[in-house]
């Protein structure tokens, strides 16, 4: 646990008592704060009270006497589409609102660091797609190279549940737009921006607000190095804002699919090969084609981002390349579940939006595509250029009929459920084809989250092997 600094003898309110909220309350208490807490769910409040937390109804005016800050969990709206009533109350009273990310960045460094030979560092990764894989890959590379490292944030361990730093450690954080938008402190040593595509627009008041939430990690964080994907206009804009000029190598530009000329420092992938250029000269290269844990152009972008971040903390190209080969990938992200009768079964349940699904579709040929769920604004028309790879689509969930109307002449069948989709796709797939779960939709119509959806697909595939 990382005790929160600067809160001794203060009364701090915590809103939301899920994983991050409970960890935040414990870290505040460890820092000497008097913690009061609230959650909209009665069962959650009762469980927290049973564990010793002081539950106070923050919807009541009298609850705010002496409160110096409100710490909100990331899933709770603080601005759009409208602030949660408790957060609105804090605004009206002039009580500062923060989250666990802000507390982490103000508390991670301690006087103990004065005795370290090498100061700990923080790499923070954000973006629309690929940030989980990029975060896990950076963490894996550091482990393989013998560097002390921890991983947390939006993946794995909550930030305040991480252990205090040790000499030379590198903490790797995945940060969502919900987390970067509200944090009052953002000071990573290396910040990574993978890419941007429309997502969470209701929460951020549109695409501009969504990008602004990501941009805060760079504009307010002031990282020593910024690794920025420049395959979209927003990335180009951000890189331009962060650089003082074309010779400024504090920005490492990355791309999947285009050669980057003229940048002081760049890492890009083309035709399966990663190349690093610095000050006009090639500094490293990696053949990505045979790396099983990083299939497809979207994973090659993740590889470029991770490679660049690791180079920024001093690792050598050959160290990074060796670690690539032992990376197994993450569950639910282009995860090879099984090969049965010459047919591959791939779980990309994390492909919850059109851009992520497009990247998954581009990674394979001869696809039996399982798609659908709770569709997002804008539909899936943008996937039409990639559907020539699809032998047949098997449509499930709430948006199955809407998807059927949008995919044109692509062979398809509305099957409603995952059970029927896997069974039918398996019966029709031919050797050399891939049964791909890439839903292009949220999971909440049939599953509590994308992980449960992917786990159901995986279990159904494993059951095929026993039939």
């Amino acid at each position: 646990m990382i005790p929160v600094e600067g809160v001794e003898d203060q009364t701090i309110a915590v809103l939301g008592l899920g994983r991050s909220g409970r960890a935040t309350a414990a870290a505040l208490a460890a820092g000497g704060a008097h913690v009061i807490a609230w959650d909209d769910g009665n069962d959650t409040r009762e469980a927290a009270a049973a564990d010793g937390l002081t539950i106070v109804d923050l919807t009541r005016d009298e609850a705010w006497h002496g409160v110096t800050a409100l710490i909100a969990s990331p899933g709770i709206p603080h601005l759009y589409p409208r602030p949660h009533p408790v957060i609105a109350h804090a605004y009206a009273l002039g009580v500062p609102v923060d989250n666990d990310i802000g507390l982490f960045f103000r508390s991670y460094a301690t006087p103990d660091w004065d005795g370290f030979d090498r100061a700990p560092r923080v790499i923070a990764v954000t973006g629309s797609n690929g940030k989980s894989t990029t975060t896990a890959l950076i963490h894996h590379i550091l482990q393989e190279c013998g560097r002390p490292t921890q991983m947390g944030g939006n993946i794995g361990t909550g930030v305040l549940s991480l252990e205090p730093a040790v000499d030379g450690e590198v903490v790797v954080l995945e940060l969502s737009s919900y987390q970067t938008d509200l944090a009052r402190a953002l000071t990573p040593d290396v910040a990574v921006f993978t890419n941007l595509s429309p997502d969470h627009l209701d929460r951020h008041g549109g695409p501009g607000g969504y990008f602004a939430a990501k941009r805060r990690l760079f504009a307010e964080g002031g990282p020593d190095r910024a690794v920025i994907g420049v395959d979209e206009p927003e990335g180009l804009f951000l890189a331009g804002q962060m650089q003082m000029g074309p010779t400024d190598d504090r920005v490492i530009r990355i791309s999947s699919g285009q050669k980057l000329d003229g940048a002081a420092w760049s890492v890009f992938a083309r035709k399966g090969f990663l190349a690093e250029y610095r000050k006009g000269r090639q500094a490293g290269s990696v053949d990505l084609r045979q790396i099983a844990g990083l299939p497809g152009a979207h994973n090659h972008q993740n590889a470029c981002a991770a490679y660049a971040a690791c180079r920024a903390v001093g690792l050598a190209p050959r160290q990074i390349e060796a670690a690539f080969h032992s990376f197994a990938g993450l569950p639910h992200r282009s995860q090879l579940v099984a090969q049965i009768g010459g047919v591959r079964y791939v779980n990309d349940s994390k492909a919850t939006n059109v851009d992520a699904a497009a990247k998954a579709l581009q990674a394979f040929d001869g696809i039996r595509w399982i798609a659908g769920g709770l569709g997002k604004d804008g539909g899936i028309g943008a996937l039409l250029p990639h559907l020539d790879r699809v032998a047949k689509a098997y449509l499930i969930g709430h948006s199955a009929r809407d998807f059927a109307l949008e995919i044109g002449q692509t062979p398809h069948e509305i099957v409603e459920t995952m059970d029927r989709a896997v069974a039918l796709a398996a019966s029709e797939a031919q050797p050399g084809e891939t049964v791909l779960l890439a839903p292009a939709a949220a999971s909440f119509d049939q599953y509590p989250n994308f992980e449960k959806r992917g786990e159901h697909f995986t279990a159904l595939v494993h059951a095929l092997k026993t039939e």
Side-chain angles (χ1 to χ4, degrees):
M1 179 194 301
I2 296 174
V4 177
E5 299 284 338
V7 296
E8 189 172 359
D9 297 326
Q10 296 183 31
T11 298
I12 310 289
V14 173
L15 176 63
L17 295 173
R19 183 192 70 162
S20 67
R22 296 285 286 273
T24 297
L28 286 164
H34 170 57
V35 180
I36 61 175
W38 182 252
D39 191 284
D40 291 337
N42 185 61
D43 291 346
T44 304
R45 293 196 301 268
E46 289 181 354
D51 287 341
L53 275 175
T54 302
I55 304 300
V56 176
D57 186 351
L58 296 175
T59 65
R60 298 179 179 274
D61 290 346
E62 58 268 23
W64 292 86
H65 179 71
V67 173
T68 58
L70 173 68
I71 312 302
S73 293
I76 299 173
H78 62 271
L79 185 57
Y80 300 113
R82 63 190 62 82
H84 185 281
V86 170
I87 295 178
H89 206 141
Y91 292 158
L93 294 172
V95 174
V97 181
D98 203 350
N99 62 13
D100 60 338
I101 303 303
L103 297 180
F104 168 84
F105 276 112
R106 86 183 206 195
S107 304
Y108 185 53
T110 68
D112 293 342
W113 290 25
D114 294 339
F116 292 166
D117 291 330
R118 186 164 51 178
R121 306 183 77 179
V122 177
I123 299 174
V125 181
T126 195
S128 296
N129 298 307
K131 58 184 180 292
S132 294
T133 297
T134 299
T135 301
L137 180 55
I138 295 169
H139 179 61
H140 172 79
I141 294 166
L142 290 164
Q143 286 182 313
E144 292 294 295
C145 294
R147 292 285 292 271
T149 181
Q150 297 183 77
M151 178 175 70
N154 201 45
I155 184 175
T157 306
V159 289
L160 293 174
S161 296
L162 296 169
E163 294 298 318
V166 300
D167 196 335
E169 184 170 60
V170 181
V171 168
V172 191
L173 302 179
E174 177 193 340
L175 299 182
S176 71
S177 58
Y178 293 2
Q179 294 170 311
T180 58
D181 200 17
L182 186 60
R184 294 171 68 90
L186 287 168
T187 54
D189 298 282
V190 180
V192 180
F193 175 86
T194 58
N195 52 57
L196 196 81
S197 61
D199 209 356
H200 309 305
L201 300 188
D202 59 333
R203 178 66 184 266
H204 296 291
Y210 178 52
F211 175 54
K214 302 287 190 186
R215 181 180 172 274
R216 288 192 77 242
L217 184 63
F218 299 82
E220 309 219 4
D224 295 333
R225 297 277 186 196
V227 176
I228 300 176
V230 295
D231 289 334
E232 294 87 28
E234 292 86 354
L236 281 168
F237 170 81
L238 181 59
Q241 282 207 316
M242 296 296 294
Q243 276 186 297
M244 296 299 293
T247 61
D248 183 1
D249 66 358
R250 291 175 300 174
V251 173
I252 308 176
R253 297 185 178 216
I254 64 166
S255 173
S256 176
Q258 60 173 319
K259 182 178 180 180
L260 298 178
D261 292 316
W265 197 349
S266 64
V267 179
F268 56 88
R270 294 181 69 203
K271 298 180 180 179
F273 289 88
L274 178 152
E276 175 193 2
Y277 278 78
R278 192 167 187 183
K279 297 180 179 178
R281 301 181 64 179
Q282 187 165 349
S285 64
V286 180
D287 184 350
L288 299 173
R289 295 172 300 174
Q290 302 304 315
I291 298 175
L294 295 168
H298 61 304
N299 273 312
H300 292 177
Q301 184 186 57
N302 299 334
C304 289
Y307 178 101
C310 289
R311 292 286 284 135
V313 295
L315 297 184
R318 291 295 163 243
Q319 290 179 294
I320 300 170
E321 179 180 8
F324 277 170
H325 283 279
S326 57
F327 182 65
L330 287 180
H332 318 300
R333 297 160 177 87
S334 293
Q335 175 193 13
L336 178 61
V337 174
Q339 294 194 47
I340 305 170
V343 176
R344 290 182 295 185
Y345 293 81
V346 175
N347 167 21
D348 205 333
S349 183
K350 185 62 170 65
T352 58
N353 59 41
V354 167
D355 188 63
K359 290 179 168 61
L361 289 169
Q362 292 174 66
F364 305 98
D365 291 304
I367 298 170
R368 301 281 171 172
W369 179 36
I370 300 175
L374 191 61
K376 298 188 175 181
D377 292 344
I380 60 167
L383 293 177
L384 288 174
H386 311 297
L387 298 186
D388 58 335
R389 298 168 175 264
V390 175
K392 184 176 178 179
Y394 305 83
L395 304 176
I396 65 174
H398 178 271
S399 297
R401 285 164 178 78
D402 293 336
F403 280 20
L405 293 173
E406 292 189 77
I407 62 176
Q409 300 302 309
T410 302
H412 65 272
E413 189 166 340
I414 296 173
V415 295
E416 303 287 358
T417 68
M418 186 71 73
D419 301 73
R420 293 183 62 197
V422 171
L424 188 57
S427 69
E428 296 181 345
Q430 303 297 312
E433 292 185 333
T434 298
V435 175
L436 170 67
L437 171 64
S443 61
F444 305 124
D445 57 332
Q446 296 179 317
Y447 301 92
N449 50 52
F450 74 83
E451 290 96 341
K452 292 298 182 184
R453 178 171 59 190
E455 289 167 7
H456 189 200
F457 171 82
T458 299
L460 293 169
V461 171
H462 287 318
L464 293 173
K465 294 191 290 187
T466 64
E467 293 179 356

